[in-house]
Amino acid sequence: AHVTLNKIPAIRRILADLIDAKVREAAFEIEKRAKENTPVDTGALRNSIHVVTDRDDGYAEAVASAEAAHESALAAGKTPKGRSASSELRLFPEPTKPKAGEAIVAVGVEYGIDVERGTVRQAPQPFLTPAVEQARPLFKNAVASAVREAVR
C-alpha cells in the first residue's frame, strides 16, 4: 500500500491568511507610528494618514478628520505654515483598494510629500519613512513566525 500526503495546498492557504493578517498589522503599526512622528501645525496632515486594505478603508474618516482640523485651525485664526489664511485643503483622491495580502498607508493631504521630503523653502521633516523603518523589523519577525507556524 502506498499513501501520499500533499499538504502544500493547505499550507499555501494557511500561509496566505497569516501573511494577509501580518501585512494588515504592519500597515496599522506604520499608520500609528507615522501619526506619532508627524509634525503638527493644524493637525490636518496627521489626521489624513490612513490605511487601505482589501477589508479596511480609512480614507473617508481620515479626510473628514483632516478637514475638521484644518477648518478649526482657520476658525481660530491659525494660518497653516506656507499657506494663506483662505487656503483650501487639497486632498488626494481615494487610493484604489489593494488585493488581499497588500496594504496602503496613505497621506490624504497633498502637502504631505512636501513635509516628508522638503522643498526649496522648507527642510524635510520625515514622518512616514521613519515609521516604515521602525515597523520593518517587527514585520519581518512576524512573517518569519507565520511561515514557521504554517509549516508545522
Side-chain angles (χ1 to χ4, degrees):
H2 179 277
V3 176
T4 303
L5 293 176
N6 184 356
K7 293 185 178 184
I8 301 236
I11 290 172
R12 287 177 68 183
R13 280 191 303 278
I14 291 168
L15 193 54
D17 290 345
L18 289 170
I19 296 296
D20 183 58
K22 299 306 176 191
V23 166
R24 291 176 71 251
E25 286 175 22
F28 285 107
E29 182 65 23
I30 291 167
E31 175 193 35
K32 179 183 123 217
R33 289 174 184 250
K35 286 179 175 183
E36 291 169 354
N37 296 340
T38 302
V40 176
D41 185 19
T42 65
L45 172 58
R46 179 190 56 217
N47 293 1
S48 79
I49 300 169
H50 62 282
V51 172
V52 180
T53 71
D54 64 322
R55 295 185 230 168
D56 308 288
D57 187 350
Y59 179 79
E61 183 180 334
V63 164
S65 182
E67 288 174 332
H70 180 74
E71 292 302 319
S72 177
L74 291 179
K78 184 168 184 152
T79 303
K81 287 181 190 163
R83 289 165 183 61
S84 69
S86 63
S87 287
E88 181 180 316
L89 188 62
R90 296 176 51 114
L91 302 165
F92 283 115
E94 186 169 1
T96 303
K97 209 174 241 330
K99 299 180 282 190
E102 297 178 357
I104 298 169
V105 180
V107 176
V109 297
E110 285 186 356
Y111 66 86
I113 191 71
D114 295 339
V115 175
E116 176 80 11
R117 298 214 174 143
T119 67
V120 293
R121 295 190 179 117
Q122 173 182 313
Q125 298 178 70
F127 59 93
L128 191 55
T129 301
V132 170
E133 293 306 320
Q134 292 163 349
R136 186 184 310 271
L138 301 171
F139 178 67
K140 283 183 174 182
N141 291 337
V143 169
S145 176
V147 170
R148 283 191 299 276
E149 187 177 322
V151 297
R152 280 187 192 171

